[in-house]
Amino acid sequence: MDKKEIIRQIKEKRERLESRYAKGMLTHDELLRNKTILYHDIMIMTRAEHSEEVLDLCGLSKEDIISSSANHELDHDPLTDGSVYVFKGLTGLENLIRDNDPEGKVFTFQLPLTCSGKRIWKDFQFLVRQKKAGQDSWQGWNVYEGFGRFSIYSGEGTLSVREDENLIQSVLYQKCYTQM
């Protein structure tokens, strides 16, 4: 896909998001989060450097990115920026595993983190880009590739889920980039 086509698709997605917001179908935070995902997508697809032009294309400003980070005071132990973390035992996965067509949808789960050595739970939003059957040692699992966001972190993620006798098991490999 060439750069012009990517830009056209991003503009269309932005217009749809803004239309849904104008109709009251999205909150301001959801609109900002989805525009941030668009920004991340175009940065990956075009291998672009951070620029005002890319922010404008996504309907964002530098202040939007800074304020979305500033609104989340860190109430858990900090994570190393740019690292991949493995999280097991997410909760609230029922809506995802019951959805036959999850691609393009955002799901909210609870992610286990620590605060001074104690386990706490944080909301984790995950945009599913692709669902596929697990391979090799992951046979019997559903694998969801997408983009995750929690606290001040976001990035690409791979969530593997299986249900065995009403017990839901999960493993999330999540890139954690600080949003500044």
PDB file of all heavy atoms in Angstrom, residues 136-167:
ATOM      1  N   ASP A 136       1.246 -24.350  16.886  1.00  0.00           N
ATOM      2  CA  ASP A 136       2.267 -25.071  17.657  1.00  0.00           C
ATOM      3  C   ASP A 136       1.870 -25.210  19.121  1.00  0.00           C
ATOM      4  O   ASP A 136       0.835 -25.765  19.422  1.00  0.00           O
ATOM      5  CB  ASP A 136       3.644 -24.389  17.509  1.00  0.00           C
ATOM      6  CG  ASP A 136       4.086 -24.322  16.044  1.00  0.00           C
ATOM      7  OD1 ASP A 136       3.823 -25.290  15.305  1.00  0.00           O
ATOM      8  OD2 ASP A 136       4.649 -23.292  15.640  1.00  0.00           O
ATOM      9  N   SER A 137       2.658 -24.653  20.035  1.00  0.00           N
ATOM     10  CA  SER A 137       2.364 -24.821  21.463  1.00  0.00           C
ATOM     11  C   SER A 137       1.136 -24.016  21.899  1.00  0.00           C
ATOM     12  O   SER A 137       0.665 -24.177  23.020  1.00  0.00           O
ATOM     13  CB  SER A 137       3.577 -24.415  22.308  1.00  0.00           C
ATOM     14  OG  SER A 137       3.875 -23.055  22.108  1.00  0.00           O
ATOM     15  N   TRP A 138       0.593 -23.180  21.023  1.00  0.00           N
ATOM     16  CA  TRP A 138      -0.589 -22.379  21.322  1.00  0.00           C
ATOM     17  C   TRP A 138      -1.850 -22.979  20.715  1.00  0.00           C
ATOM     18  O   TRP A 138      -2.886 -22.313  20.677  1.00  0.00           O
ATOM     19  CB  TRP A 138      -0.406 -20.933  20.855  1.00  0.00           C
ATOM     20  CG  TRP A 138       0.632 -20.210  21.658  1.00  0.00           C
ATOM     21  CD1 TRP A 138       1.918 -19.960  21.289  1.00  0.00           C
ATOM     22  CD2 TRP A 138       0.493 -19.685  22.968  1.00  0.00           C
ATOM     23  NE1 TRP A 138       2.575 -19.300  22.293  1.00  0.00           N
ATOM     24  CE2 TRP A 138       1.722 -19.116  23.337  1.00  0.00           C
ATOM     25  CE3 TRP A 138      -0.566 -19.634  23.877  1.00  0.00           C
ATOM     26  CZ2 TRP A 138       1.934 -18.506  24.573  1.00  0.00           C
ATOM     27  CZ3 TRP A 138      -0.350 -19.018  25.101  1.00  0.00           C
ATOM     28  CH2 TRP A 138       0.884 -18.466  25.442  1.00  0.00           C
ATOM     29  N   GLN A 139      -1.793 -24.221  20.230  1.00  0.00           N
ATOM     30  CA  GLN A 139      -2.997 -24.849  19.677  1.00  0.00           C
ATOM     31  C   GLN A 139      -4.065 -24.911  20.759  1.00  0.00           C
ATOM     32  O   GLN A 139      -3.783 -25.179  21.922  1.00  0.00           O
ATOM     33  CB  GLN A 139      -2.694 -26.256  19.155  1.00  0.00           C
ATOM     34  CG  GLN A 139      -2.003 -26.229  17.825  1.00  0.00           C
ATOM     35  CD  GLN A 139      -1.842 -27.620  17.240  1.00  0.00           C
ATOM     36  OE1 GLN A 139      -1.993 -28.633  17.905  1.00  0.00           O
ATOM     37  NE2 GLN A 139      -1.531 -27.669  15.962  1.00  0.00           N
ATOM     38  N   GLY A 140      -5.313 -24.625  20.348  1.00  0.00           N
ATOM     39  CA  GLY A 140      -6.413 -24.583  21.297  1.00  0.00           C
ATOM     40  C   GLY A 140      -6.653 -23.190  21.873  1.00  0.00           C
ATOM     41  O   GLY A 140      -7.607 -22.977  22.602  1.00  0.00           O
ATOM     42  N   TRP A 141      -5.778 -22.272  21.552  1.00  0.00           N
ATOM     43  CA  TRP A 141      -5.901 -20.888  21.995  1.00  0.00           C
ATOM     44  C   TRP A 141      -6.353 -20.027  20.826  1.00  0.00           C
ATOM     45  O   TRP A 141      -6.060 -20.329  19.678  1.00  0.00           O
ATOM     46  CB  TRP A 141      -4.555 -20.337  22.482  1.00  0.00           C
ATOM     47  CG  TRP A 141      -4.001 -21.002  23.703  1.00  0.00           C
ATOM     48  CD1 TRP A 141      -3.491 -22.266  23.794  1.00  0.00           C
ATOM     49  CD2 TRP A 141      -3.882 -20.432  25.008  1.00  0.00           C
ATOM     50  NE1 TRP A 141      -3.061 -22.517  25.066  1.00  0.00           N
ATOM     51  CE2 TRP A 141      -3.278 -21.393  25.834  1.00  0.00           C
ATOM     52  CE3 TRP A 141      -4.196 -19.200  25.548  1.00  0.00           C
ATOM     53  CZ2 TRP A 141      -3.006 -21.163  27.183  1.00  0.00           C
ATOM     54  CZ3 TRP A 141      -3.931 -18.965  26.876  1.00  0.00           C
ATOM     55  CH2 TRP A 141      -3.338 -19.938  27.693  1.00  0.00           C
ATOM     56  N   ASN A 142      -7.052 -18.929  21.105  1.00  0.00           N
ATOM     57  CA  ASN A 142      -7.319 -17.900  20.111  1.00  0.00           C
ATOM     58  C   ASN A 142      -6.289 -16.802  20.335  1.00  0.00           C
ATOM     59  O   ASN A 142      -6.039 -16.396  21.475  1.00  0.00           O
ATOM     60  CB  ASN A 142      -8.724 -17.313  20.253  1.00  0.00           C
ATOM     61  CG  ASN A 142      -9.773 -18.266  19.740  1.00  0.00           C
ATOM     62  OD1 ASN A 142      -9.601 -18.898  18.709  1.00  0.00           O
ATOM     63  ND2 ASN A 142     -10.866 -18.375  20.470  1.00  0.00           N
ATOM     64  N   VAL A 143      -5.689 -16.344  19.247  1.00  0.00           N
ATOM     65  CA  VAL A 143      -4.657 -15.316  19.325  1.00  0.00           C
ATOM     66  C   VAL A 143      -5.207 -14.035  18.702  1.00  0.00           C
ATOM     67  O   VAL A 143      -5.663 -14.033  17.568  1.00  0.00           O
ATOM     68  CB  VAL A 143      -3.370 -15.773  18.605  1.00  0.00           C
ATOM     69  CG1 VAL A 143      -2.312 -14.681  18.642  1.00  0.00           C
ATOM     70  CG2 VAL A 143      -2.835 -17.056  19.234  1.00  0.00           C
ATOM     71  N   TYR A 144      -5.164 -12.951  19.474  1.00  0.00           N
ATOM     72  CA  TYR A 144      -5.664 -11.654  19.040  1.00  0.00           C
ATOM     73  C   TYR A 144      -4.470 -10.707  18.948  1.00  0.00           C
ATOM     74  O   TYR A 144      -3.769 -10.485  19.940  1.00  0.00           O
ATOM     75  CB  TYR A 144      -6.664 -11.088  20.042  1.00  0.00           C
ATOM     76  CG  TYR A 144      -7.850 -11.985  20.285  1.00  0.00           C
ATOM     77  CD1 TYR A 144      -7.793 -12.993  21.249  1.00  0.00           C
ATOM     78  CD2 TYR A 144      -9.019 -11.836  19.555  1.00  0.00           C
ATOM     79  CE1 TYR A 144      -8.877 -13.824  21.476  1.00  0.00           C
ATOM     80  CE2 TYR A 144     -10.112 -12.656  19.779  1.00  0.00           C
ATOM     81  CZ  TYR A 144     -10.034 -13.652  20.739  1.00  0.00           C
ATOM     82  OH  TYR A 144     -11.103 -14.478  20.959  1.00  0.00           O
ATOM     83  N   GLU A 145      -4.242 -10.178  17.758  1.00  0.00           N
ATOM     84  CA  GLU A 145      -3.183  -9.196  17.579  1.00  0.00           C
ATOM     85  C   GLU A 145      -3.823  -7.825  17.521  1.00  0.00           C
ATOM     86  O   GLU A 145      -4.895  -7.657  16.936  1.00  0.00           O
ATOM     87  CB  GLU A 145      -2.392  -9.484  16.318  1.00  0.00           C
ATOM     88  CG  GLU A 145      -1.633 -10.790  16.409  1.00  0.00           C
ATOM     89  CD  GLU A 145      -0.849 -11.125  15.148  1.00  0.00           C
ATOM     90  OE1 GLU A 145      -0.931 -10.356  14.169  1.00  0.00           O
ATOM     91  OE2 GLU A 145      -0.172 -12.155  15.149  1.00  0.00           O
ATOM     92  N   GLY A 146      -3.175  -6.839  18.150  1.00  0.00           N
ATOM     93  CA  GLY A 146      -3.770  -5.513  18.148  1.00  0.00           C
ATOM     94  C   GLY A 146      -2.929  -4.480  18.852  1.00  0.00           C
ATOM     95  O   GLY A 146      -1.706  -4.598  18.930  1.00  0.00           O
ATOM     96  N   PHE A 147      -3.626  -3.481  19.386  1.00  0.00           N
ATOM     97  CA  PHE A 147      -2.997  -2.331  20.017  1.00  0.00           C
ATOM     98  C   PHE A 147      -3.616  -2.147  21.391  1.00  0.00           C
ATOM     99  O   PHE A 147      -4.831  -2.023  21.511  1.00  0.00           O
ATOM    100  CB  PHE A 147      -3.241  -1.077  19.157  1.00  0.00           C
ATOM    101  CG  PHE A 147      -2.562   0.151  19.675  1.00  0.00           C
ATOM    102  CD1 PHE A 147      -1.248   0.417  19.357  1.00  0.00           C
ATOM    103  CD2 PHE A 147      -3.247   1.052  20.471  1.00  0.00           C
ATOM    104  CE1 PHE A 147      -0.613   1.561  19.822  1.00  0.00           C
ATOM    105  CE2 PHE A 147      -2.631   2.200  20.951  1.00  0.00           C
ATOM    106  CZ  PHE A 147      -1.308   2.453  20.619  1.00  0.00           C
ATOM    107  N   GLY A 148      -2.770  -2.145  22.430  1.00  0.00           N
ATOM    108  CA  GLY A 148      -3.266  -2.022  23.794  1.00  0.00           C
ATOM    109  C   GLY A 148      -2.856  -0.711  24.439  1.00  0.00           C
ATOM    110  O   GLY A 148      -1.831  -0.122  24.094  1.00  0.00           O
ATOM    111  N   ARG A 149      -3.685  -0.275  25.391  1.00  0.00           N
ATOM    112  CA  ARG A 149      -3.407   0.977  26.104  1.00  0.00           C
ATOM    113  C   ARG A 149      -3.882   0.854  27.543  1.00  0.00           C
ATOM    114  O   ARG A 149      -4.988   0.388  27.807  1.00  0.00           O
ATOM    115  CB  ARG A 149      -4.130   2.126  25.417  1.00  0.00           C
ATOM    116  CG  ARG A 149      -3.901   3.455  26.087  1.00  0.00           C
ATOM    117  CD  ARG A 149      -4.656   4.551  25.359  1.00  0.00           C
ATOM    118  NE  ARG A 149      -4.632   5.747  26.151  1.00  0.00           N
ATOM    119  CZ  ARG A 149      -3.916   6.819  25.878  1.00  0.00           C
ATOM    120  NH1 ARG A 149      -3.200   6.854  24.798  1.00  0.00           N
ATOM    121  NH2 ARG A 149      -3.943   7.853  26.676  1.00  0.00           N
ATOM    122  N   PHE A 150      -3.035   1.292  28.486  1.00  0.00           N
ATOM    123  CA  PHE A 150      -3.398   1.367  29.894  1.00  0.00           C
ATOM    124  C   PHE A 150      -2.507   2.409  30.544  1.00  0.00           C
ATOM    125  O   PHE A 150      -1.400   2.669  30.084  1.00  0.00           O
ATOM    126  CB  PHE A 150      -3.243   0.009  30.595  1.00  0.00           C
ATOM    127  CG  PHE A 150      -1.826  -0.496  30.669  1.00  0.00           C
ATOM    128  CD1 PHE A 150      -1.075  -0.315  31.813  1.00  0.00           C
ATOM    129  CD2 PHE A 150      -1.252  -1.136  29.591  1.00  0.00           C
ATOM    130  CE1 PHE A 150       0.235  -0.776  31.890  1.00  0.00           C
ATOM    131  CE2 PHE A 150       0.063  -1.596  29.651  1.00  0.00           C
ATOM    132  CZ  PHE A 150       0.806  -1.417  30.807  1.00  0.00           C
ATOM    133  N   SER A 151      -3.030   3.044  31.581  1.00  0.00           N
ATOM    134  CA  SER A 151      -2.278   4.047  32.331  1.00  0.00           C
ATOM    135  C   SER A 151      -1.642   5.032  31.352  1.00  0.00           C
ATOM    136  O   SER A 151      -2.343   5.631  30.558  1.00  0.00           O
ATOM    137  CB  SER A 151      -1.263   3.337  33.218  1.00  0.00           C
ATOM    138  OG  SER A 151      -0.582   4.222  34.057  1.00  0.00           O
ATOM    139  N   ILE A 152      -0.322   5.192  31.400  1.00  0.00           N
ATOM    140  CA  ILE A 152       0.367   6.082  30.469  1.00  0.00           C
ATOM    141  C   ILE A 152       1.091   5.303  29.375  1.00  0.00           C
ATOM    142  O   ILE A 152       1.891   5.857  28.641  1.00  0.00           O
ATOM    143  CB  ILE A 152       1.368   7.000  31.208  1.00  0.00           C
ATOM    144  CG1 ILE A 152       2.469   6.189  31.895  1.00  0.00           C
ATOM    145  CG2 ILE A 152       0.641   7.898  32.195  1.00  0.00           C
ATOM    146  CD1 ILE A 152       3.632   7.023  32.400  1.00  0.00           C
ATOM    147  N   TYR A 153       0.790   4.022  29.246  1.00  0.00           N
ATOM    148  CA  TYR A 153       1.487   3.159  28.299  1.00  0.00           C
ATOM    149  C   TYR A 153       0.570   2.698  27.175  1.00  0.00           C
ATOM    150  O   TYR A 153      -0.622   2.513  27.365  1.00  0.00           O
ATOM    151  CB  TYR A 153       2.039   1.920  29.028  1.00  0.00           C
ATOM    152  CG  TYR A 153       2.975   2.261  30.158  1.00  0.00           C
ATOM    153  CD1 TYR A 153       2.539   2.251  31.470  1.00  0.00           C
ATOM    154  CD2 TYR A 153       4.299   2.617  29.908  1.00  0.00           C
ATOM    155  CE1 TYR A 153       3.389   2.580  32.514  1.00  0.00           C
ATOM    156  CE2 TYR A 153       5.158   2.952  30.946  1.00  0.00           C
ATOM    157  CZ  TYR A 153       4.698   2.920  32.250  1.00  0.00           C
ATOM    158  OH  TYR A 153       5.545   3.257  33.267  1.00  0.00           O
ATOM    159  N   SER A 154       1.174   2.485  26.009  1.00  0.00           N
ATOM    160  CA  SER A 154       0.437   1.895  24.897  1.00  0.00           C
ATOM    161  C   SER A 154       1.428   1.268  23.936  1.00  0.00           C
ATOM    162  O   SER A 154       2.628   1.555  23.979  1.00  0.00           O
ATOM    163  CB  SER A 154      -0.426   2.937  24.183  1.00  0.00           C
ATOM    164  OG  SER A 154       0.389   3.902  23.564  1.00  0.00           O
ATOM    165  N   GLY A 155       0.905   0.402  23.053  1.00  0.00           N
ATOM    166  CA  GLY A 155       1.748  -0.233  22.050  1.00  0.00           C
ATOM    167  C   GLY A 155       1.085  -1.473  21.483  1.00  0.00           C
ATOM    168  O   GLY A 155      -0.036  -1.835  21.857  1.00  0.00           O
ATOM    169  N   GLU A 156       1.791  -2.110  20.574  1.00  0.00           N
ATOM    170  CA  GLU A 156       1.313  -3.339  19.947  1.00  0.00           C
ATOM    171  C   GLU A 156       1.240  -4.442  20.995  1.00  0.00           C
ATOM    172  O   GLU A 156       2.042  -4.481  21.922  1.00  0.00           O
ATOM    173  CB  GLU A 156       2.264  -3.782  18.829  1.00  0.00           C
ATOM    174  CG  GLU A 156       2.373  -2.807  17.688  1.00  0.00           C
ATOM    175  CD  GLU A 156       1.099  -2.689  16.903  1.00  0.00           C
ATOM    176  OE1 GLU A 156       0.445  -3.712  16.657  1.00  0.00           O
ATOM    177  OE2 GLU A 156       0.741  -1.564  16.543  1.00  0.00           O
ATOM    178  N   GLY A 157       0.276  -5.335  20.809  1.00  0.00           N
ATOM    179  CA  GLY A 157       0.147  -6.436  21.751  1.00  0.00           C
ATOM    180  C   GLY A 157      -0.386  -7.686  21.086  1.00  0.00           C
ATOM    181  O   GLY A 157      -1.030  -7.621  20.035  1.00  0.00           O
ATOM    182  N   THR A 158      -0.095  -8.815  21.689  1.00  0.00           N
ATOM    183  CA  THR A 158      -0.631 -10.103  21.255  1.00  0.00           C
ATOM    184  C   THR A 158      -1.239 -10.775  22.478  1.00  0.00           C
ATOM    185  O   THR A 158      -0.545 -11.023  23.470  1.00  0.00           O
ATOM    186  CB  THR A 158       0.465 -11.000  20.653  1.00  0.00           C
ATOM    187  OG1 THR A 158       1.053 -10.323  19.544  1.00  0.00           O
ATOM    188  CG2 THR A 158      -0.110 -12.328  20.196  1.00  0.00           C
ATOM    189  N   LEU A 159      -2.538 -11.022  22.407  1.00  0.00           N
ATOM    190  CA  LEU A 159      -3.282 -11.616  23.508  1.00  0.00           C
ATOM    191  C   LEU A 159      -3.721 -13.024  23.101  1.00  0.00           C
ATOM    192  O   LEU A 159      -4.399 -13.188  22.092  1.00  0.00           O
ATOM    193  CB  LEU A 159      -4.504 -10.751  23.833  1.00  0.00           C
ATOM    194  CG  LEU A 159      -5.487 -11.282  24.875  1.00  0.00           C
ATOM    195  CD1 LEU A 159      -4.811 -11.449  26.228  1.00  0.00           C
ATOM    196  CD2 LEU A 159      -6.679 -10.348  24.983  1.00  0.00           C
ATOM    197  N   SER A 160      -3.317 -14.013  23.882  1.00  0.00           N
ATOM    198  CA  SER A 160      -3.723 -15.399  23.645  1.00  0.00           C
ATOM    199  C   SER A 160      -4.700 -15.801  24.738  1.00  0.00           C
ATOM    200  O   SER A 160      -4.431 -15.591  25.928  1.00  0.00           O
ATOM    201  CB  SER A 160      -2.509 -16.325  23.661  1.00  0.00           C
ATOM    202  OG  SER A 160      -1.605 -15.954  22.637  1.00  0.00           O
ATOM    203  N   VAL A 161      -5.849 -16.367  24.320  1.00  0.00           N
ATOM    204  CA  VAL A 161      -6.920 -16.688  25.264  1.00  0.00           C
ATOM    205  C   VAL A 161      -7.476 -18.070  24.947  1.00  0.00           C
ATOM    206  O   VAL A 161      -7.630 -18.433  23.786  1.00  0.00           O
ATOM    207  CB  VAL A 161      -8.067 -15.645  25.168  1.00  0.00           C
ATOM    208  CG1 VAL A 161      -9.180 -15.970  26.147  1.00  0.00           C
ATOM    209  CG2 VAL A 161      -7.556 -14.243  25.391  1.00  0.00           C
ATOM    210  N   ARG A 162      -7.803 -18.806  26.004  1.00  0.00           N
ATOM    211  CA  ARG A 162      -8.536 -20.059  25.819  1.00  0.00           C
ATOM    212  C   ARG A 162      -9.465 -20.253  26.995  1.00  0.00           C
ATOM    213  O   ARG A 162      -9.221 -19.759  28.098  1.00  0.00           O
ATOM    214  CB  ARG A 162      -7.610 -21.248  25.635  1.00  0.00           C
ATOM    215  CG  ARG A 162      -6.978 -21.766  26.883  1.00  0.00           C
ATOM    216  CD  ARG A 162      -6.218 -23.037  26.614  1.00  0.00           C
ATOM    217  NE  ARG A 162      -5.545 -23.471  27.825  1.00  0.00           N
ATOM    218  CZ  ARG A 162      -4.812 -24.532  27.901  1.00  0.00           C
ATOM    219  NH1 ARG A 162      -4.605 -25.275  26.839  1.00  0.00           N
ATOM    220  NH2 ARG A 162      -4.241 -24.875  29.029  1.00  0.00           N
ATOM    221  N   GLU A 163     -10.537 -20.971  26.714  1.00  0.00           N
ATOM    222  CA  GLU A 163     -11.510 -21.278  27.756  1.00  0.00           C
ATOM    223  C   GLU A 163     -11.528 -22.789  27.920  1.00  0.00           C
ATOM    224  O   GLU A 163     -11.701 -23.531  26.959  1.00  0.00           O
ATOM    225  CB  GLU A 163     -12.888 -20.757  27.362  1.00  0.00           C
ATOM    226  CG  GLU A 163     -13.912 -20.903  28.466  1.00  0.00           C
ATOM    227  CD  GLU A 163     -15.233 -20.228  28.115  1.00  0.00           C
ATOM    228  OE1 GLU A 163     -15.520 -20.023  26.932  1.00  0.00           O
ATOM    229  OE2 GLU A 163     -15.974 -19.922  29.058  1.00  0.00           O
ATOM    230  N   ASP A 164     -11.328 -23.229  29.155  1.00  0.00           N
ATOM    231  CA  ASP A 164     -11.290 -24.654  29.453  1.00  0.00           C
ATOM    232  C   ASP A 164     -12.199 -24.893  30.661  1.00  0.00           C
ATOM    233  O   ASP A 164     -11.869 -24.465  31.774  1.00  0.00           O
ATOM    234  CB  ASP A 164      -9.853 -25.082  29.751  1.00  0.00           C
ATOM    235  CG  ASP A 164      -9.708 -26.576  29.919  1.00  0.00           C
ATOM    236  OD1 ASP A 164     -10.553 -27.328  29.395  1.00  0.00           O
ATOM    237  OD2 ASP A 164      -8.744 -26.985  30.593  1.00  0.00           O
ATOM    238  N   GLU A 165     -13.350 -25.529  30.405  1.00  0.00           N
ATOM    239  CA  GLU A 165     -14.317 -25.818  31.463  1.00  0.00           C
ATOM    240  C   GLU A 165     -14.674 -24.559  32.258  1.00  0.00           C
ATOM    241  O   GLU A 165     -14.542 -24.507  33.472  1.00  0.00           O
ATOM    242  CB  GLU A 165     -13.790 -26.914  32.386  1.00  0.00           C
ATOM    243  CG  GLU A 165     -13.600 -28.247  31.685  1.00  0.00           C
ATOM    244  CD  GLU A 165     -13.115 -29.337  32.634  1.00  0.00           C
ATOM    245  OE1 GLU A 165     -13.263 -29.182  33.862  1.00  0.00           O
ATOM    246  OE2 GLU A 165     -12.586 -30.336  32.123  1.00  0.00           O
ATOM    247  N   ASN A 166     -15.089 -23.521  31.540  1.00  0.00           N
ATOM    248  CA  ASN A 166     -15.510 -22.238  32.105  1.00  0.00           C
ATOM    249  C   ASN A 166     -14.401 -21.469  32.821  1.00  0.00           C
ATOM    250  O   ASN A 166     -14.669 -20.505  33.512  1.00  0.00           O
ATOM    251  CB  ASN A 166     -16.707 -22.402  33.041  1.00  0.00           C
ATOM    252  CG  ASN A 166     -17.924 -22.872  32.292  1.00  0.00           C
ATOM    253  OD1 ASN A 166     -18.114 -22.520  31.130  1.00  0.00           O
ATOM    254  ND2 ASN A 166     -18.740 -23.668  32.943  1.00  0.00           N
ATOM    255  N   LEU A 167     -13.159 -21.902  32.660  1.00  0.00           N
ATOM    256  CA  LEU A 167     -12.014 -21.169  33.187  1.00  0.00           C
ATOM    257  C   LEU A 167     -11.325 -20.495  32.009  1.00  0.00           C
ATOM    258  O   LEU A 167     -10.940 -21.159  31.045  1.00  0.00           O
ATOM    259  CB  LEU A 167     -11.037 -22.117  33.897  1.00  0.00           C
ATOM    260  CG  LEU A 167      -9.729 -21.501  34.370  1.00  0.00           C
ATOM    261  CD1 LEU A 167      -9.993 -20.474  35.478  1.00  0.00           C
ATOM    262  CD2 LEU A 167      -8.786 -22.569  34.854  1.00  0.00           C
TER     263      LEU A 167
END
